[in-house]
Each structure stands twice: as C-alpha cells, then as structure tokens.
Amino acid sequence: MKNFDSGAVKKNWSARRKTVEPKEINLSQGDLVKLSYLRPGETLPCLAQPAFDGVELSAWVESHRGLIEETLHRDGAMLFRGFNLRGLDDFHEFIAATGVELMQYMESATPRTELKEKIYTSTEFPADQTIALHNELSTLNTFPLKVYFFCVQPAERGGATPIADVRKVLQRIRPEIREKFIEKGWLLIRNFGDGFGPTWQNSFHLSERSEAEEYFRRAGIEYEWRGGERLRTIQVRSAVERHPQLGVQVWFNHVAFWHISSVEPKLRELFLKEFDAHQLPYNTFYGDGSPIEDAVVEELRQAYRQETVSFPWQAGDVLMLDNMLVAHGREPYSGERKILAAMGEAYRRPRR
C-alpha cells in the first residue's frame, strides 16, 4: 500500500478549486441596458430594456442622464420596459433619478387626481372618448420640457398613448398655412361657468378671484368676469416654437385640439345651438382673432395622423417624452386602466 501524502492532496485540491471557482464579472453600467426600437424602420420611441434580470433602473438612469437627454433630443421619446416597476413609489424613484424638477398641473381641461408630490392620474376623461394629440400645456407661457407616463395596469382593450414627432408634423403642413400661423400665432378662448367643462377654480387650482387675477397677469391671459362664477379667458400664443436646446422649429400648440371642428359631431351641434363662436366652452382662432377655417384644421389633424405611432401598454412601462418634440394623446379603451403622469423641467417661452 502506497503512503498517503496529505500535503500533495491539499496542493492538488487547491489547484482544482482555482480552476472551477466562478470568475467575478464586472459589468459597466452601459452593459446593463440595451437600446433599440420597437419596430424596424421606426425611431419613435427609443426602447430601453434590461440586458439581464435584476437591473436597478433608477441607478442606471441617474448615471446616464446625459445619454437619456441625447436620446430624447434625437428621437423625442424613450420607452423603458421590462424593469419590474410596480407602482407609484417606483415611478417616483425613476423620476427622481432623472433629476428633473416636477411642475404642478395648471390650466387643466380634464380632471386628474394628485397622488404624490406632483404625480397625477392620467386624465380621468370618459373611457370611450379619444383624446387628440397635443403637447402638454402648450397654452401656458411656462410649460414642461419633460413629460412622463407610467403604466400600472394596461386596459383590457385599447387605451394606448399614441405619440407623434411635431418636427415632422410641422413639415407636413403646407408652407402657406405654416407661414400664416408663424405670422399671426393662435388665440384660445375659454368660457367657464356655463355648465360645460371644469370650473375656473378646478382648472386654475385657485379659489379666490384675486388669486386668479394675479395668476392671469403673470401668465399673460386676458380675462373677463361675466356675472356670477362665469369667466372668459383669452390668450394669444405662438403656434411654432424653437426648441431651446436644439434650435429646431416645432409645431407646438393646441390649435386643432381646442378648435370647435374637432368636437364630436353631436356635441358640436349642441354647442353651436347654444353658443356663438366666442361663447363656446373653448375655441381657437388665428392670433388676430379671425376664424380658422375647418379645412385648415382638418389638414392639421391629417398631419398628426400621418406621423402617429401607437403601441399597447405593458404593466411597468415608463414612457418619457421631450414635450416640445413629441405630442401625445389617448385612444379609447375598455376595462380598468391605470396610467400615472408627471411633467417637469419648466421652461418659459421668450417674449415676442
């Protein structure tokens, strides 16, 4: 029998351990998330997905703010999908990681509920209605450059948030129409207190007339008290703006959204029986107060349609938009749908 050499065995076992122990893999933050697009040939939105299970999205976002900004400036929208985000707190953490300061939702047209620190439910508009494409708060002198949506629960059917690049929308509008809006701007009239739409208190989130009047002065809004709680507001804005970082022209307004020709036919007929063009709950005009032709508004709607991209929500999705580059809307839906929304990075348009 051979002598047992314990020292040799220990030496051999130690060598074997060195060859079979797993190697430590050091991944850079850039390796953790892969960027692509939803469909071949489409660059809206840019799709961000985890390369591995368990990627902490907020940490990646915080260390890649420059890349996210660069991507938004190129594509206009980013969709973060597959990161196992579940609810309001996850959404709040994501926004905090972007470093964007959030804004209060002002001059609202549809009801929303604030859930946490300027994070809201998406519009609580009837589920069977379409919300036309628009850039958030384009009626304000100070508006958000960033808009966020988070899908807690997708609808059973429908309920997508369609988006469109308004750089491209602008190019689809005939030059003579573009130039007319560039020259004149656009005018919005809203009437409160006639039984349609929100009250002025709900829209402006103020309770006292003196507070409202101070806000109107700061916001560049003309106003007229018309007896009781009835109020008319008038504001003139540019229809075409320049992106503050990119310098590119964008179609940035609510011209088609608020125009009476965009209202559902039966409701439009009812409105026009009760009110003239300046007494409607809302209506848009050229900036000099002259009427915008229905055919022109239809051309604007067609330009949006030609650039619209739509995709179904998945639970946990976060959609981040450059609000000056990309318009958004909402498709009708059935079944419970829960989408959260927030907006931030306030920008004040230059004085003309």
Side-chain angles (χ1 to χ4, degrees):
M1 182 176 180
K2 294 182 179 180
N3 292 332
F4 180 76
D5 188 344
S6 61
V9 171
K10 288 180 180 179
K11 186 176 180 180
N12 289 338
W13 176 244
S14 177
R16 285 185 64 197
R17 283 188 62 192
K18 289 179 181 178
T19 61
V20 299
E21 281 184 347
K23 295 181 179 179
E24 182 179 351
I25 300 174
N26 293 313
L27 292 173
S28 70
Q29 284 284 342
D31 297 322
L32 299 179
V33 173
K34 55 185 180 181
L35 303 182
S36 59
Y37 295 103
L38 275 176
R39 305 183 186 101
E42 289 186 1
T43 58
L44 187 68
C46 177
L47 176 63
Q49 295 176 293
F52 305 94
D53 290 339
V55 173
E56 186 181 346
L57 179 58
S58 59
W60 185 88
V61 167
E62 189 169 4
S63 62
H64 286 78
R65 291 176 181 175
L67 174 63
I68 291 170
E69 188 79 355
E70 182 181 306
T71 304
L72 287 175
H73 285 171
R74 182 190 67 215
D75 299 325
M78 290 187 75
L79 175 64
F80 297 85
R81 172 169 285 177
F83 290 94
N84 200 34
L85 306 184
R86 297 189 180 278
L88 175 61
D89 289 341
D90 290 338
F91 185 39
H92 183 267
E93 185 177 346
F94 172 91
I95 295 172
T98 68
V100 169
E101 184 176 349
L102 295 182
M103 292 174 58
Q104 184 179 6
Y105 185 59
M106 292 293 290
E107 299 188 31
S108 52
T110 55
R112 296 173 186 254
T113 301
E114 185 172 3
L115 301 175
K116 178 178 182 177
E117 298 174 20
K118 301 175 184 174
I119 296 178
Y120 301 84
T121 58
S122 65
T123 180
E124 296 165 12
F125 202 61
D128 62 344
Q129 300 294 308
T130 296
I131 298 177
L133 288 169
H134 60 284
N135 299 83
E136 199 63 44
L137 302 185
S138 76
T139 58
L140 276 65
N141 269 337
T142 300
F143 52 81
L145 291 179
K146 300 291 191 301
V147 174
Y148 305 85
F149 296 100
F150 175 58
C151 178
V152 178
Q153 181 177 338
E156 185 178 321
R157 297 185 73 177
T161 299
I163 54 180
D165 188 326
V166 291
R167 292 170 290 192
K168 297 178 180 179
V169 170
L170 178 64
Q171 295 308 310
R172 286 191 178 274
I173 301 168
R174 280 184 293 145
E176 57 268 33
I177 295 176
R178 289 203 307 262
E179 291 306 315
K180 190 170 183 179
F181 276 108
I182 289 172
E183 177 190 350
K184 294 178 178 291
W186 69 290
L187 182 150
L188 170 65
I189 294 180
R190 296 182 70 182
N191 287 285
F192 302 89
D194 291 317
F196 295 96
T199 64
W200 65 262
Q201 293 94 333
N202 287 336
S203 182
F204 296 103
H205 306 282
L206 300 168
S207 57
E208 301 295 330
R209 287 194 182 194
S210 58
E211 295 175 322
E213 290 172 359
E214 174 59 26
Y215 174 78
F216 298 153
R217 283 190 286 270
R218 288 186 284 106
I221 298 174
E222 297 179 30
Y223 63 94
E224 175 189 354
W225 297 106
R226 301 170 58 223
E229 294 301 311
R230 297 167 69 230
L231 168 69
R232 175 176 295 159
T233 60
I234 302 170
Q235 52 212 97
V236 179
R237 302 290 185 247
S238 301
V240 176
E241 292 284 354
R242 286 196 179 274
H243 193 284
Q245 284 98 32
L246 303 178
V248 64
Q249 285 188 317
V250 294
W251 181 250
F252 187 79
N253 56 71
H254 272 62
V255 170
F257 186 93
W258 289 109
H259 194 265
I260 185 58
S261 69
S262 296
V263 176
E264 186 271 326
K266 289 184 178 179
L267 184 57
R268 180 169 69 242
E269 182 180 356
L270 173 64
F271 279 167
L272 292 174
K273 282 182 179 178
E274 294 289 329
F275 308 108
D276 69 26
H278 295 82
Q279 296 172 330
L280 291 162
Y282 49 80
N283 201 5
T284 59
F285 305 82
Y286 290 111
D288 61 4
S290 58
I292 303 173
E293 303 85 350
D294 289 0
V296 168
V297 180
E298 176 53 34
E299 183 169 331
L300 303 180
R301 288 192 292 261
Q302 178 64 14
Y304 282 116
R305 284 193 290 265
Q306 289 172 316
E307 292 299 333
T308 296
V309 174
S310 183
F311 53 89
W313 282 111
Q314 294 182 14
D317 281 353
V318 174
L319 179 63
M320 184 177 180
L321 306 179
D322 183 308
N323 185 45
M324 285 196 78
L325 298 182
V326 172
H328 63 275
R330 193 204 69 189
E331 296 176 1
Y333 66 94
S334 60
E336 188 176 352
R337 174 185 187 267
K338 189 173 183 181
I339 306 294
L340 309 186
M343 61 207 77
E345 194 173 332
Y347 173 72
R348 184 171 180 84
R349 69 177 83 223
R351 292 183 181 275
R352 304 295 181 186

